[in-house]
Amino acid sequence: MTETLLAVPPVVNDVFASVVARNPHEPEFQQAVHEVLVSIAPVLEAHPEFVESGIVERLVEPERQIIFRVPWVDDAGRLHVNRGFRVQFSSVLGPYKGGLRFHPSVNLSIVKFLGFEQIFKNALTGQGIGGGKGGSDFDPHGRSDAEIMRFCQSFMNELYRHLGEHTDVPAGDIGVGAREIGYLFGQYRKITNRHESGMFTGKGVQWGGAEVRTEATGYGAVFFAEEMLAVRGESLEGKRIAVSGSGNVAIYAIAKAWQLGALPVTASDSSGYIVDDAGIDVDLLRQLKEVERVRISEYAARRSSARFVEGARPWEVAVDIALPSATQNELDIDDATALIANGVRAVAEGANMPTTPGAVAAFQDAGVLFGPGKAANAGGVATSALEMSQNASRQRWSFDDSEAKLRQIMKNVHDSAFDAAARYGYAGDYVVGANSAGFERVAHAMLAQGVI
Ligand code: NDP
Ligand code: 2IT
């Protein structure tokens, strides 16, 4: 990611060069920054005051970065030392907000790319939430419940001092689901002697969690795809859908796709993918992934209409719509070429930055509707903000009311991105639209709040 940017204001090239020089070993962070800077060039041209007040220079530098030791002891009595992170990127619109990821690949580059994306995603939701992200290089796979609990407690022993309902509010991400959130929240409560509901979202619905938060990211990504198709007078009815991943986002994307009349035919994990021409059995997938926590091949072992393809990704299956919902850079130019050759109509990112820059360009050049994660997966964090509202006012909203709110938020997110793209002369480009609409809101707030 060192190429020179052309036809953009000088500040974009200068800031990107400085980001590369100051963050040399952070390719994912550079990738995320590059996409945003190129997209917002028209906004900077229209608003010289943003350039004069150094909005971009300030935005690419996190407000605070916390890196800490996480020691823990496994069931066999062996000591492990993991690394914990929390990058508090921007609090200009509200408390830092964004998930925690537990995965062996987690490093500063990954956390910073996710935190940077989160600023604009959260702004796009229209709610009062800043941007942050955190996690650890801890690998939860194969660990017992007791080990997971001890790890979460050790992680929170340090992180608690940086959190709070008005300061920084984490949630889940890869490797952090209902179980981990319970242990993390419990340890925060123990250390602080406060039952501070609003300091974490994604909590169990019995103890302060919001209805629909579990489902929100996957449901929202499908709602976003529906909105993009509607612009072209199409619907999800009868569409074949490829989903990658088999975690929180993937499962509920598959569930909502069924409900809206589509046929989801794939799911995957890091070992390979399954294709089921009869449509994915959501109950079986949930049983295998949320209860038994086994590999995706087990799905094909238990269902005769399915087959497992080892070591591959689902993009070689012929589908109308693709919903990459596993991890970053999981859909590259070869995958995009295969999807386009098979007639794909729309791609909506359930995951964060799953599509490589070359693949994004290939989709857009081919006229495929492309919904970037900042917009398409914003339903998760938007529903987290609904959870914070309910916690603050001690209310509980029903599932149906909450889903209706999510549906409306996704329409608003779509329309904001669509309208911004058109306003800046890039009609139909949801990457430019999402980045511009999110950036505009953040930049106006930074301008108003002074140089801090
Ligand atoms: P989960 O941990 O629930 O599921 C992750 C899934 O992705 C698993 O099937 C996992 O397989 C697969 N996966 C993870 N890493 C890799 C990899 N390197 N290669 C191949 N497959 C991989 O996470 P979520 O569903 O919560 O998150 C999925 C994506 O969605 C992430 O990009 C996350 O940032 C994003 N997201 C999540 C939100 C949320 O609310 N949870 C909100 C918005 C975005 P395996 O078990 O084999 O690792
Ligand atoms: O990437 C994301 O938006 C999330 N993992 C959810 C963040 C949140 O605070 O709900």
Side-chain angles (χ1 to χ4, degrees), residues 55 92 442-451:
I55 300 288
V92 74
V442 172
H444 281 299
M446 288 178 74
L447 200 60
Q449 293 180 29
V451 179

Side-chain angles (χ1 to χ4, degrees), residues 36 100 104 112 154 256 294 304 354 383 401:
V36 170
L100 295 173
K112 280 171 66 179
S154 180
K256 184 50 70 180
V294 293
S304 60
T383 308
D401 282 351

Side-chain angles (χ1 to χ4, degrees), residues 32-295:
V33 170
H34 186 271
E35 182 206 284
V36 170
L37 290 184
V38 173
S39 297
I40 63 170
V43 187
L44 296 174
E45 262 160 14
H47 290 277
E49 72 277 20
F50 292 163
V51 177
E52 282 151 21
S53 54
I55 300 288
V56 182
E57 286 90 333
R58 286 188 276 149
L59 257 182
V60 297
E61 192 65 20
E63 290 178 10
R64 190 175 297 105
Q65 309 182 51
I66 302 147
I67 304 181
F68 52 101
R69 177 171 69 197
V70 189
W72 59 283
V73 177
D74 69 19
D75 289 346
R78 278 189 299 266
L79 174 82
H80 300 260
V81 179
N82 283 100
R83 190 170 283 181
F85 301 88
R86 187 74 181 166
V87 174
Q88 299 180 327
F89 233 112
S90 170
S91 57
V92 74
L93 293 179
Y96 306 110
K97 184 83 197 84
L100 295 173
R101 175 179 292 191
F102 293 168
H103 190 273
S105 64
V106 167
N107 56 34
L108 191 57
S109 176
I110 299 276
V111 178
K112 280 171 66 179
F113 113 66
L114 290 163
F116 188 70
E117 295 270 300
Q118 201 83 46
I119 304 171
F120 308 101
K121 182 197 305 188
N122 294 3
L124 199 52
T125 68
Q127 292 156 315
I129 41 180
K133 201 82 184 193
S136 174
D137 58 1
F138 171 70
D139 186 358
H141 286 106
R143 291 293 170 194
S144 69
D145 277 358
E147 289 174 325
I148 298 284
M149 183 174 75
R150 286 197 294 277
F151 176 81
C152 288
Q153 291 175 341
S154 180
F155 185 85
M156 191 54 85
N157 283 346
E158 172 58 32
L159 192 60
Y160 84 94
R161 68 186 88 248
H162 306 290
L163 305 180
E165 63 179 322
H166 301 298
T167 308
D168 186 348
V169 182
D173 195 83
I174 292 176
V176 178
R179 174 180 60 169
E180 292 75 17
I181 291 171
Y183 295 146
L184 291 162
F185 182 85
Q187 187 69 357
Y188 180 89
R189 182 172 61 78
K190 165 94 177 164
I191 298 171
T192 60
N193 192 31
R194 283 161 64 87
H195 190 113
E196 188 186 331
S197 295
M199 60 69 57
F200 217 110
T201 61
K203 301 179 296 294
V205 289
Q206 302 304 323
W207 47 278
E211 295 286 357
V212 187
R213 175 62 189 91
T214 303
E215 297 82 359
T217 312
Y219 278 20
V222 175
F223 291 147
F224 194 88
E226 193 182 33
E227 289 293 334
M228 289 197 299
L229 288 167
V231 170
R232 289 195 179 164
E234 297 180 35
S235 79
L236 285 164
E237 189 72 38
K239 298 281 195 305
R240 270 169 66 91
I241 302 197
V243 177
S244 63
S246 49
N248 174 265
V249 179
I251 286 172
Y252 294 99
I254 290 168
K256 184 50 70 180
W258 272 118
Q259 288 173 21
L260 296 179
L263 185 71
V265 292
T266 71
S268 71
D269 65 16
S270 53
S271 68
Y273 76 89
I274 49 127
V275 54
D276 184 344
D277 284 320
I280 300 292
D281 179 335
V282 183
D283 292 338
L284 175 58
L285 192 62
R286 288 190 62 189
Q287 169 66 24
L288 296 175
K289 286 299 186 177
E290 292 179 348
V291 182
E292 299 180 30
R293 298 179 190 273
V294 293
R295 301 279 77 196

